[in-house]
Amino acid sequence: MPQCEMCGSDQSSLTTVKVEGAELELCGDCKGFGTEVRTESSSSASTKYSTSSSSSGSDESTADSTGNTTSSSTSTSGGSSRRRDMFDNMDEIAADYDDRIRQARESRNLSQEDLADSLNEKASLIRKIERSDILPSDDVREKIERRLDISLVEGTDTDDDEWSGGSSTTTTLGDVVKRKD
């Protein structure tokens, strides 16, 4: 039986409602928190904008109100249904990146100016990075890692259990949001 994505109650039918820009499947009690979304007939939209693809996963192609086509692909293997996004493949910079850079630089007896010259960057950039004022851009991070032979990224070993909480119950928006009554 489907669950309301806001309060988590089991309902026989849910309504698609737009709440703060997100489309959620909500029960009758929660649908007042947003605006009901009217869906068009999927047969005319899917035939006009669909693309055919033969892959091991399932491909979905939808057309929005402006006629733009958006596609999403989810893998059916592994039993998990968490959608992947562009951030899953990005490296996460370590929380102690500033200390790692400073210690590696000092162990090689380099000043901030010497390191900056060898990287073809400004010394003020190195100072700001070592003070944690700014995060290094990807290209600067890669240059620092190569020059100092260190790694500034944390092990990004994200399991799907981390997202699902490891339990059989589904976390809903209602579990996380605190309402102002």
Side-chain angles (χ1 to χ4, degrees), residues 22-178:
E23 288 187 12
L24 304 172
E25 297 292 325
L26 303 181
C27 66
D29 295 334
C30 296
K31 72 180 183 180
F33 290 108
T35 307
E36 188 172 339
V37 176
R38 302 277 184 215
T39 56
E40 296 179 19
S41 170
S42 62
S43 61
S44 63
S46 64
T47 56
K48 186 174 180 182
Y49 295 107
S50 66
T51 59
S52 61
S53 173
S54 60
S55 66
S56 61
S58 63
D59 289 336
E60 298 172 356
S61 184
T62 58
D64 62 12
S65 60
T66 60
N68 295 330
T69 302
T70 56
S71 297
S72 64
S73 178
T74 55
S75 176
T76 56
S77 63
S80 173
S81 62
R82 185 177 82 80
R83 294 186 72 170
R84 302 288 179 194
D85 59 23
M86 63 182 254
F87 298 108
D88 288 341
N89 298 326
M90 292 178 67
D91 294 330
E92 186 173 327
I93 195 156
D96 64 339
Y97 70 95
D98 53 338
D99 292 329
R100 292 182 188 189
I101 294 171
R102 184 179 306 107
Q103 290 171 358
R105 177 182 58 79
E106 289 173 351
S107 71
R108 288 164 178 74
N109 295 322
L110 293 171
S111 67
Q112 291 176 336
E113 291 77 16
D114 294 338
L115 177 60
D117 288 341
S118 68
L119 299 176
N120 199 21
E121 297 291 340
K122 293 184 177 183
S124 61
L125 175 68
I126 302 300
R127 280 192 289 277
K128 289 177 182 179
I129 291 172
E130 285 189 4
R131 280 195 317 254
S132 311
D133 288 345
I134 61 170
L135 287 172
S137 63
D138 287 340
D139 60 328
V140 171
R141 178 185 53 83
E142 290 170 0
K143 284 196 244 180
I144 291 172
E145 288 176 334
R146 279 195 306 268
R147 175 63 176 93
L148 298 177
D149 193 31
I150 59 173
S151 175
L152 298 177
V153 294
E154 292 181 338
T156 54
D157 197 18
T158 58
D159 293 334
D160 289 327
D161 292 340
E162 175 184 334
W163 291 99
S164 67
S167 66
S168 61
T169 60
T170 304
T171 302
T172 64
L173 187 60
D175 296 331
V176 180
V177 172
K178 293 182 180 173

Side-chain angles (χ1 to χ4, degrees), residues 3-14:
Q3 284 185 331
C4 172
E5 292 180 339
M6 188 171 284
C7 68
S9 65
D10 292 328
Q11 299 289 326
S12 59
S13 67
L14 298 174

